[in-house]
Amino acid sequence: MTLGEYRCSDSEDNCSDSNNMLQSDELYGAVKCAVDIASCLLDGEIDKRQLYLRGTGSNKLTIRAIKFKNGDATLGGGIHILGTNTKVDLQLCVFTKCNAYDGDYGGGAIFVANEAGIIVNIKGTSFSENLAKNGADIYKDGGLMGVAIINVLISCPTPYTDNSPTKGQQLHFDGTFLPTYSYSGCQPYNCEPGRYDPTIYSNLPSACVDCEGGKFGNTTGEISNSTCYNCAAGKCSTPGSST
């Protein structure tokens, strides 16, 4: 998916129907943003759910680095997941200001139906300001007796598996008796100008090191001393300088 903001009001023809921006029926594989910093925004405009997901053909669908904002639906303002043996991985996503307005159920961000074989794995994904009567962030139909499996994992997806995610707020998760927290911040830290990250993928500022003397970096996110620029003739740079 190309970086950008997507809204039905920009082009109604590109949206699935009056209730959903997108609909997926028995599809599998991957839907992902071109970069891992959730710069692909699906804006429901407080009018539509972003994704109605019915089945994955008994395979797996990975949704990566998508931002779900202002989703609005009866159940699952961001995503409604159903279908026997549906398998979904949510990686590096953001759910914010999504709303489910059903008076008895919920799932402001995510609603998962009570159907056999559904497995939802959530990694490096943040939740904030979502609303619903029950399960403002996640609603598992059937509660503790529901047959669907939802795993909020304390780990980062590939290629960031060596990074430790940041523990966020306790989730409003209807369908579990244990306190569950969001974990995000897996993506690489952008080193400041004049420094670079030799590990490439670290999310820690301490991984940044200075460009060597005679070189400088004038942008954030340098990943190698070779990407630090040589100073012009007659000029020099002390290690770590951005000029």
Side-chain angles (χ1 to χ4, degrees):
M1 180 181 281
T2 304
L3 276 66
E5 299 183 1
Y6 299 86
R7 299 177 179 87
C8 289
S9 61
D10 294 334
S11 180
E12 191 72 31
D13 291 340
N14 290 335
C15 287
S16 175
D17 54 45
S18 60
N19 298 313
N20 304 289
M21 294 185 71
L22 301 170
Q23 184 165 314
S24 173
D25 292 296
E26 301 297 331
L27 298 179
Y28 57 90
V31 177
K32 59 183 180 179
C33 189
V35 296
D36 280 342
I37 54 174
S39 294
C40 297
L41 168 67
L42 296 179
D43 189 345
E45 302 177 278
I46 319 177
D47 180 61
K48 287 179 173 62
R49 174 193 294 118
Q50 281 91 345
L51 176 60
Y52 187 79
L53 198 164
R54 183 193 293 113
T56 57
S58 296
N59 293 288
K60 182 171 70 175
L61 176 65
T62 298
I63 300 171
R64 185 176 174 107
I66 308 295
K67 185 174 183 177
F68 298 79
K69 183 179 180 181
N70 295 328
D72 191 71
T74 308
L75 304 171
I79 302 180
H80 186 133
I81 298 172
L82 69 159
T84 302
N85 295 324
T86 296
K87 297 175 178 63
V88 180
D89 277 6
L90 295 170
Q91 302 176 353
L92 309 176
C93 291
V94 174
F95 290 87
T96 183
K97 297 183 179 179
C98 292
N99 174 59
Y101 53 80
D102 185 272
D104 296 315
Y105 296 90
I110 301 170
F111 176 91
V112 180
N114 186 20
E115 297 185 53
I118 294 180
I119 301 175
V120 180
N121 294 314
I122 302 172
K123 281 188 175 183
T125 293
S126 67
F127 297 80
S128 65
E129 299 183 76
N130 301 302
L131 298 172
K133 181 175 180 180
N134 297 297
D137 295 314
I138 303 171
Y139 186 92
K140 175 185 173 184
D141 192 21
L144 296 176
M145 302 303 293
V147 294
I149 297 172
I150 304 173
N151 300 310
V152 181
L153 301 169
I154 312 174
S155 59
C156 293
T158 304
Y160 314 120
T161 50
D162 288 339
N163 293 345
S164 297
T166 301
K167 183 178 180 180
Q169 67 178 19
Q170 183 173 339
L171 295 176
H172 298 282
F173 186 167
D174 192 300
T176 180
F177 63 90
L178 295 174
T180 305
Y181 296 82
S182 66
Y183 291 88
S184 59
C186 293
Q187 298 91 327
Y189 177 80
N190 280 331
C191 299
E192 59 271 22
R195 314 192 83 200
Y196 70 97
D197 176 10
T199 72
I200 301 178
Y201 297 127
S202 176
N203 60 348
L204 299 175
S206 59
C208 299
V209 298
D210 293 339
C211 293
E212 66 184 26
K215 291 191 172 187
F216 70 98
N218 61 356
T219 61
T220 61
E222 302 287 359
I223 60 173
S224 168
N225 190 67
S226 64
T227 65
C228 297
Y229 300 94
N230 287 315
C231 294
K235 293 188 176 182
C236 63
S237 174
T238 58
S241 174
S242 59
T243 58

